[in-house]
Amino acid sequence: MDFSEKGPYVFCNFLLKELIPAIQKQSDPKDVFECISKFLVEEFRAKGSLWIGIDSKKGFFIKGVYGERLKELKGAPWDPFEEIKARLTVGETVIFSSLTSDPVFSKTKTNGFLLLTPLIAGGHLKGALGALYSEPTLPIEVLEDIMGLIGKTIGPALILFSLWDDLSIDEILERKIEQTLKSIPLKGEGVFKEILSIVEKSLIKCVMEKVKNNQSKASRILGLNRNTLRKKLKEYELGP
């Protein structure tokens, strides 16, 4: 069996030994993306990888990058041609034989080709993963199969882990409040105060953790005087 035939086997071995345990230990989508990227670089000699996301307005953007050649693309909006979008939507892996064929990818000023596989969940396109190669070290068909396997097996987990990252703070609060109200009797009183205290406590807790319990820094960030902050820390039992 030559190496080109081992492609799917190598991926399955990686999936069982490294990626699944990593997913089980933590759910940070950035770590999962980095794990996939390292695998593509080490096993298939990719020069880099990228993660394309879709925002709440259905716009595409470069959510993450791995490798020096792609670092300038992070955060950039991406407006794919309709043909490319249509192919990704139906689950096809797209090959950019030249990066100059796309206005965004051409900014890397890199020679090579890009394999882009869709990330689909619930029958809907949620983004894409791409691998950059300077030259085909393996048959294109093998690399295409590998990207397809990654998209189909890892895609749902990556999408699930990044769900909250893709929502604005307004959308997150709205969804959580809707869930909370389902468990609170609407005939009762003080719902506004109760919800407000939950949000306030969480905000103060996060800020205090960020500044390592430095009350002076926390009061400036929150826009509260130190006496008010002390009272709220005591009220919410958030003292160190």
Side-chain angles (χ1 to χ4, degrees):
M1 179 184 293
D2 63 29
F3 188 74
S4 64
E5 294 176 329
K6 291 182 181 179
Y9 169 77
V10 171
F11 170 70
C12 292
N13 187 55
F14 159 74
L15 182 67
L16 293 172
K17 288 188 174 182
E18 297 184 43
L19 195 52
I20 289 180
I23 290 174
Q24 291 174 334
K25 289 179 182 178
Q26 50 74 44
S27 59
D28 187 334
K30 295 178 183 177
D31 290 344
V32 175
F33 170 64
E34 184 174 335
C35 190
I36 295 170
S37 300
K38 286 181 178 178
F39 165 71
L40 291 169
V41 169
E42 293 171 3
E43 297 292 345
F44 297 96
R45 302 180 188 177
K47 299 303 179 183
S49 63
L50 56 83
W51 177 9
I52 295 175
I54 300 177
D55 60 29
S56 58
K57 297 181 179 179
K58 308 300 181 183
F60 291 76
F61 68 101
I62 311 298
K63 185 173 183 138
V65 297
Y66 184 88
E68 287 295 315
R69 302 189 186 193
L70 296 170
K71 66 178 182 179
E72 294 183 1
L73 297 185
K74 187 174 182 180
W78 182 54
D79 186 16
F81 297 117
E82 288 303 319
E83 178 188 355
I84 300 297
K85 189 186 300 184
R87 291 178 61 187
L88 290 173
T89 300
V90 296
E92 290 186 21
T93 295
V94 176
I95 303 175
F96 289 86
S97 57
S98 172
L99 272 66
T100 58
S101 64
D102 183 273
V104 174
F105 301 151
S106 63
K107 294 178 181 178
T108 62
K109 298 180 180 179
T110 298
N111 294 323
F113 65 95
L114 180 72
L115 290 175
L116 203 60
T117 194
L119 298 176
I120 294 177
H124 299 286
L125 182 66
K126 299 294 184 179
L129 283 177
L132 173 67
Y133 295 89
S134 59
E135 56 184 27
T137 55
L138 293 172
I140 298 294
E141 296 79 10
V142 174
L143 299 176
E144 190 175 359
D145 286 344
I146 290 300
M147 288 304 294
L149 283 171
I150 290 175
K152 290 175 182 176
T153 56
I154 308 305
L158 196 58
I159 293 166
L160 177 63
F161 292 159
S162 61
L163 177 62
W164 291 111
D165 290 345
D166 294 337
L167 296 175
S168 67
I169 190 169
D170 289 346
E171 292 171 317
I172 292 173
L173 287 173
E174 184 177 342
R175 293 190 181 195
K176 294 305 296 182
I177 289 173
E178 286 177 353
Q179 293 175 358
T180 302
L181 287 177
K182 291 179 181 178
S183 62
I184 296 178
L186 294 180
K187 293 181 179 179
E189 298 179 357
V191 172
F192 175 79
K193 185 177 180 180
E194 185 172 349
I195 295 294
L196 193 61
S197 66
I198 292 172
V199 175
E200 186 177 60
K201 179 180 178 180
S202 298
L203 176 60
I204 293 174
K205 179 181 178 182
C206 289
V207 170
M208 290 299 292
E209 290 176 352
K210 183 176 180 62
V211 300
K212 299 179 180 179
N213 293 313
N214 186 311
Q215 292 187 15
S216 295
K217 289 183 179 180
S219 64
R220 287 198 299 270
I221 292 172
L222 293 167
L224 301 173
N225 64 54
R226 293 185 65 179
N227 288 334
T228 301
L229 178 60
R230 289 194 192 99
K231 290 179 182 179
K232 291 186 179 296
L233 289 172
K234 183 178 181 180
E235 177 185 351
Y236 295 129
E237 299 179 349
L238 294 175

